[in-house]
């Protein structure tokens, strides 16, 4: 009897629904006030966008966070292809600058990957303000 009284006086767990074992505080699939994604699926898609830009558009089309990183990756891809074409057409100077340009593109890709996987919604330097996907 004393055990029942002790259990009935204990305060209920605030993380559990009073009538069941359903957690009350479940994470929402939204971007927080600091531009940080809350759901791990969105973070994964944000990071993978820099490898395959259209993947987040297929997997989570309603996510603004994944769409943001897909847009950043698409802009980076277009800039990389255009830059390589232009530099390949310029004799000697363009050929010398092409490896430097490629290193810069890879650095931006790594920057985007880190931001995508960590849940940050930061624009890429130089080209991040361009919006193709809305």
């Amino acid at each position: 009897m004393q055990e029942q009284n002790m259990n009935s006086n204990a305060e209920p767990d605030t993380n559990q629904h009073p009538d069941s074992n359903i957690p009350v505080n479940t994470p929402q699939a939204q971007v927080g006030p600091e531009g940080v994604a809350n759901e791990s699926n969105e973070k994964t898609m944000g990071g993978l966008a820099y490898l395959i830009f259209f993947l987040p558009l297929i997997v989570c089309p309603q996510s603004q966070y994944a769409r943001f990183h897909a847009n950043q990756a698409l802009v980076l891809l277009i800039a990389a292809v255009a830059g390589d074409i232009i530099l390949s057409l310029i004799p000697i100077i363009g050929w010398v600058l092409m490896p430097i340009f490629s290193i810069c593109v890879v650095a931006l890709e790594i920057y985007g990957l880190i931001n995508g996987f960590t849940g940050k919604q930061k624009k890429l330097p130089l080209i991040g303000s361009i919006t193709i996907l809305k």
Side-chain angles (χ1 to χ4, degrees):
M1 287 234 172
Q2 289 180 350
E3 286 181 26
Q4 287 179 342
N5 290 341
M6 290 172 59
N7 288 340
S8 65
N9 291 338
E11 293 182 22
D13 187 7
T14 57
N15 291 334
Q16 297 292 328
H17 191 274
D19 297 331
S20 67
N21 290 330
I22 301 171
V24 174
N25 299 330
T26 56
Q28 297 177 355
Q30 296 177 355
V31 176
E34 299 86 29
V36 177
N38 294 330
E39 190 175 305
S40 65
N41 186 34
E42 285 185 342
K43 290 179 184 179
T44 303
M45 287 301 112
L48 290 178
Y50 294 93
L51 301 176
I52 305 172
F53 81 90
F54 58 86
L55 186 63
L57 301 174
I58 296 170
V59 175
C60 36
Q62 301 301 324
S63 170
Q64 287 298 100
Y65 178 77
R67 184 174 295 278
F68 170 81
H69 283 289
N71 179 68
Q72 295 287 295
L74 178 60
V75 170
L76 181 60
L77 176 67
I78 292 170
V81 170
D84 280 340
I85 291 172
I86 291 169
L87 289 174
S88 69
L89 296 176
I90 301 171
I92 301 172
I93 296 172
W95 302 334
V96 171
L97 292 177
M98 193 179 295
I100 297 168
F101 178 74
S102 296
I103 290 171
C104 292
V105 168
V106 169
L108 288 174
E109 184 125 358
I110 291 170
Y111 180 75
L113 276 167
I114 291 170
N115 285 336
F117 282 127
T118 57
K120 297 176 184 169
Q121 194 168 341
K122 292 184 179 178
K123 293 182 179 180
L124 294 174
L126 302 175
I127 60 173
S129 60
I130 301 170
T131 303
I132 296 174
L133 302 173
K134 294 182 180 182

